[in-house]
Amino acid sequence: MLLHDATGEATVTCNISHPRPEERGPPDVAWPVPLPAENFNFARHIIELNAYRAAKIAYFDDAGSMSYAELIQRIKKFGDGLLKLGLHREERVLLLAFDTNDWPIAFLGALFAGIVPVPVNTLSTVSDLTYVLQHSGALGAIVSAPLLETFKNARSQVGDVSCPHVISVGSSEEHAEDDAFSQILGSGDAAFCGAVTHRDSVAFWLYSSGSTGRPKAVVHTHANLYWTAELYAKRTAGYREDERVFSAAKLFFAYGLGNALTFPLSVGATTILMSQRVTPDAVFQRLRQYRPTVFCGTPALYAGMLASPSVPQREALALRLCISAGEALSREIGERFCRIFGCDILDGLGSSEMLHIYISNRPADVRYGTTGKPVEGYTIELRDESGGAVEDGVIGDLWVKGPSAALLYWNSREKTLSTFHGPWLKTGDKYSRKDGYYTYAGRNDDMLKISGQYVSPFEVESTLQEHASVLECAVVALIDAEGLTKCTAYVVLRDNVPPTETLAAELQSFVKQRLSPHKRPHRIEFLADLPKTATGKIQRFKLRESAQ
C-alpha cells in the first residue's frame, strides 16, 4: 500500500499481512506465522515495528546509548548518504567494523538503500581481506579506524580501483579529523524513503567461518532475516520486548547478527554491544553492569567462564536465558553452568547457510548432551550414504529445509550444487536421533573410523571434558606409520594443572572406562590453546595438518 509523507511524496510501506489460506507460504512453516509482503525491505520492517518506541534505548555500546528514534533516523540518513556517495542498488559494501552503535546503522542503512552489506571478520589478516576484496568485487567498505591500515594494505594488493569508496568509522590518532562515517550521516536526508525491494531480493552476504579452509560467500535475502526472528527468536527462545540482550558472539557472523540485531530489534528489546576482545572478565563486567536477561555465547566461552576465578555471584546477575551455538555444548558444561548461574543454556545448531539456529533446546525443555529438537518451520532428515532414512539411534547425514535458506554461494557453482538440493540443504553434520532429540556426532570430514567402526569425535571430547583437569579438547584422526587410523586428542588443561605423561595416561583410562575400548584416544597431546575461527569453531583441519 502507498502512504504519503509530509512532503507529499509516496512511500512504500511493507506492513506484514496474514495471507489467505491458499497463500500460506512455505509449507513447512506452521500457520499462522505471517508472511512478509512481496515488497519487503527488512530495514523498513524494523523501522515500522519500532516507530512508537522512540524514547526507548535500542543499543548500549562502550561509548554510550542510542534510542530507537536515533537508530531509525540514522538508518535513513546513512542509507541516503551511501547513495549520494556514488554507490548504487545491489552493489556490495564491506562492513569491517567493531561492534559499536555504528554497526547496526551501517548494516540496516545499506539494506534500506538496497545496497548489499558484506560483514567481514574484524580479525581478518591482509591475506584474508585481499581474498574477500577480489572475491566480492565490493565497491565500498565501511572500516573501523584501527583496521584501516590492514584494509588499505589488502586493497593495494588488488588495486585501489577495486574498492573506491572507503568510509572510516571513528578517527585515528594520526588523523583525528577523519570520520567519514559521521560525514555520510551528515549528508543524508532523514526523510529518505528507502528502496523498494522484494522479499527475495539479495539483501546481504555472510562469509562462512572457514573452519575447513577458505570461506564461502553465502547470499541471503531480506525475508531470511524476518524468518529467523519469527521462528527462532520469538517461537523458540522467546525473546521479549522487556529483554536486555548481550551477545559475546560478534555481529559479523550469522549467530551474532541474529542475537544482537535481528532478534532484539524484531521485538523492541535493548542490546548491549562490546567492541573489545571477548574474555570471561569482559563478559562478567557487562553482565554485572547492564544486567542483561539474555546472553549468547559459545561452548568455549562458557567453559572459560566456568574456569575463571572471577565468577560473579548469581544474585549480581539478571540472566533469564543463555544460548549457545558454534560448536556442540557438552553435557558437563551445560549442567555445571546451570548449577552455578541458575540459568539454562539453550544449545542449538545453526549455520551461515540457514542464517541461524534450526535445531534447539527450549526453555523448560533442555536435555543437555543433545542439540534439542527441530525449530518450528524447519524439517530435518537423517540420511544414510545412499540417501535413505536412518533409524533412531543410528548416525546419519543431517539434511534441513526451511524458509531462511540462502540462495547460493557466490561464484562457486560446484559448492552450491553439492550443498543446496532444491529446498534441502546438506549440512555436512553427522547426527543421531532418539525420542525426537538430536545428538551431534561430528562433521563429515571429522568423523573417525577406528577398527572399521565409526567414532564420533564429539562423544570422545564430551567424555574428556568431564575430567576435572580438562578445560577443552579436540579429537582428530591421524594416520600412523603403519597406515592405521588412530584417535588423537588435543587437550587444553585448566590453570595450574601441569601436563604430564601420568595425566595423559589417566585421561586415556578415563575415556576407556566410560566408552567402548576402541574409542579411547591412542595419543594425548597437550596444547596451550586450540586453533579456532573467530566464531569459536575448532579448526580440526589445522590440528591434522600440524601433525603431518
Side-chain angles (χ1 to χ4, degrees):
M1 96 184 258
L2 291 176
L3 294 177
H4 288 81
D5 62 16
T7 66
E9 294 183 1
T11 60
V12 177
T13 65
C14 294
N15 294 323
I16 292 172
S17 58
H18 290 268
R20 295 187 298 274
E22 66 270 20
E23 298 176 337
R24 288 181 180 176
D28 298 311
V29 178
W31 174 258
V33 176
L35 282 172
E38 187 170 353
N39 286 334
F40 180 79
N41 181 294
F42 184 76
R44 180 180 285 110
H45 171 62
I46 292 301
I47 289 170
E48 292 177 349
L49 281 178
N50 296 294
Y52 73 93
R53 297 187 177 97
K56 184 176 182 180
I57 298 299
Y59 282 98
F60 288 103
D61 69 4
D62 296 337
S65 64
M66 177 170 62
S67 69
Y68 269 99
E70 292 169 326
L71 173 64
I72 290 170
Q73 182 186 59
R74 292 169 189 176
I75 289 170
K76 295 178 177 180
K77 294 179 72 173
F78 193 75
D80 185 49
L82 288 176
L83 295 177
K84 288 177 177 175
L85 183 66
L87 290 163
H88 301 89
R89 286 278 301 270
E90 299 186 5
E91 290 179 344
R92 274 86 66 192
V93 56
L94 301 187
L95 181 48
L96 178 65
F98 297 125
D99 281 20
T100 70
N101 290 343
D102 293 331
W103 206 103
I105 295 168
F107 183 83
L108 293 170
L111 291 187
F112 195 54
I115 293 168
V116 179
V118 183
V120 183
N121 184 350
T122 54
L123 298 177
S124 296
T125 64
V126 170
S127 174
D128 296 331
L129 291 175
T130 299
Y131 168 76
V132 170
L133 282 168
Q134 291 173 326
H135 185 259
S136 69
L139 296 179
I142 302 164
V143 186
S144 289
L147 304 175
L148 271 173
E149 182 177 357
T150 302
F151 174 80
K152 290 178 178 178
N153 287 338
R155 191 174 66 158
S156 69
Q157 301 295 313
V158 294
D160 288 354
V161 294
S162 68
C163 189
H165 304 292
V166 180
I167 303 166
S168 59
V169 183
S171 57
S172 62
E173 294 181 2
E174 296 82 4
H175 303 284
E177 74 283 359
D178 288 348
D179 184 357
F181 189 90
S182 296
Q183 295 170 23
I184 296 295
L185 276 176
S187 70
D189 187 347
F192 177 50
C193 297
V196 178
T197 55
H198 192 279
R199 63 190 173 208
D200 293 332
S201 294
V202 174
F204 64 104
W205 295 8
L206 287 171
Y207 274 92
S208 65
S209 56
S211 60
T212 57
R214 279 295 191 188
K216 301 177 289 291
V218 184
V219 179
H220 278 288
T221 69
H222 281 268
N224 288 357
L225 291 160
Y226 167 82
W227 285 120
T228 57
E230 289 296 317
L231 298 175
Y232 180 77
K234 296 180 182 180
R235 291 187 165 223
T236 302
Y239 273 61
R240 305 188 307 243
E241 182 179 6
D242 61 351
E243 307 279 18
R244 283 193 172 193
V245 181
F246 174 38
S247 175
K250 300 298 185 180
L251 283 162
F252 63 75
F253 82 108
Y255 179 48
L257 179 64
N259 300 338
L261 188 147
T262 312
F263 299 169
L265 295 185
S266 292
V267 298
T270 297
T271 305
I272 296 99
L273 297 178
M274 179 175 73
S275 62
Q276 73 184 86
R277 185 172 68 89
V278 177
T279 64
D281 283 348
V283 168
F284 291 147
Q285 176 189 337
R286 286 157 181 81
L287 292 180
R288 287 189 294 259
Q289 179 181 354
Y290 295 102
R291 294 179 61 80
T293 53
V294 176
F295 174 67
C296 309
T298 63
L301 177 58
Y302 287 119
M305 292 167 66
L306 290 170
S308 171
S310 306
V311 175
Q313 293 295 315
R314 180 188 302 187
E315 295 74 19
L317 310 181
L319 289 175
R320 175 185 72 85
L321 180 69
C322 289
I323 297 170
S324 180
E327 290 271 283
L329 182 76
S330 71
R331 182 195 308 272
E332 192 274 337
I333 291 175
E335 291 178 346
R336 192 150 58 93
F337 188 94
C338 185
R339 286 196 303 271
I340 292 175
F341 289 92
C343 174
D344 273 319
I345 301 176
L346 303 188
D347 187 29
L349 173 69
S351 68
S352 297
E353 291 81 1
M354 293 303 290
L355 189 53
H356 212 273
I357 291 170
Y358 51 84
I359 302 178
S360 180
N361 284 272
R362 287 152 168 78
D365 184 16
V366 175
R367 185 174 294 190
Y368 288 118
T370 79
T371 312
K373 298 178 178 179
V375 169
E376 184 177 356
Y378 295 88
T379 303
I380 304 297
E381 288 187 1
L382 296 182
R383 305 180 185 178
D384 59 24
E385 294 179 357
S386 63
V390 302
E391 299 177 354
D392 279 12
V394 177
I395 293 175
D397 293 316
L398 183 73
W399 293 66
V400 57
K401 66 176 177 178
S404 64
L407 296 175
L408 49 81
Y409 296 129
W410 183 259
N411 282 354
S412 186
R413 181 172 177 81
E414 182 178 347
K415 290 180 179 178
T416 296
L417 292 175
S418 67
T419 300
F420 299 92
H421 300 259
W424 289 96
L425 186 146
K426 185 178 182 180
T427 67
D429 291 305
K430 294 281 192 182
Y431 263 81
S432 63
R433 180 186 57 245
K434 183 179 181 181
D435 301 328
Y437 294 84
Y438 287 75
T439 300
Y440 183 64
R443 293 285 297 172
N444 282 349
D445 294 340
D446 294 329
M447 291 295 290
L448 288 64
K449 200 166 190 179
I450 310 294
S451 301
Q453 303 178 70
Y454 275 113
V455 175
S456 163
F458 181 70
E459 182 182 20
V460 182
E461 291 164 3
S462 297
T463 301
L464 280 168
Q465 285 185 321
E466 294 175 8
H467 194 281
S469 298
V470 176
L471 177 62
E472 56 181 348
C473 59
V475 171
V476 301
L478 297 179
I479 308 300
D480 66 13
E482 298 177 348
L484 299 175
T485 302
K486 299 296 184 182
C487 177
T488 301
Y490 291 88
V491 175
V492 178
L493 298 173
R494 298 186 183 278
D495 289 344
N496 303 318
V497 176
T500 64
E501 292 184 7
T502 301
L503 178 57
E506 180 182 328
L507 293 176
Q508 289 174 311
S509 177
F510 185 82
V511 174
K512 186 178 179 179
Q513 292 170 7
R514 288 159 176 77
L515 300 177
S516 301
H518 71 283
K519 298 179 181 180
R520 175 185 66 88
H522 180 75
R523 189 172 74 188
I524 301 286
E525 295 284 346
F526 296 111
L527 297 177
D529 294 289
L530 296 175
K532 296 174 185 171
T533 68
T535 63
K537 294 181 181 178
I538 298 171
Q539 295 174 307
R540 290 173 177 81
F541 75 96
K542 288 190 175 181
L543 296 173
R544 289 191 290 266
E545 290 173 354
S546 66
Q548 293 177 354

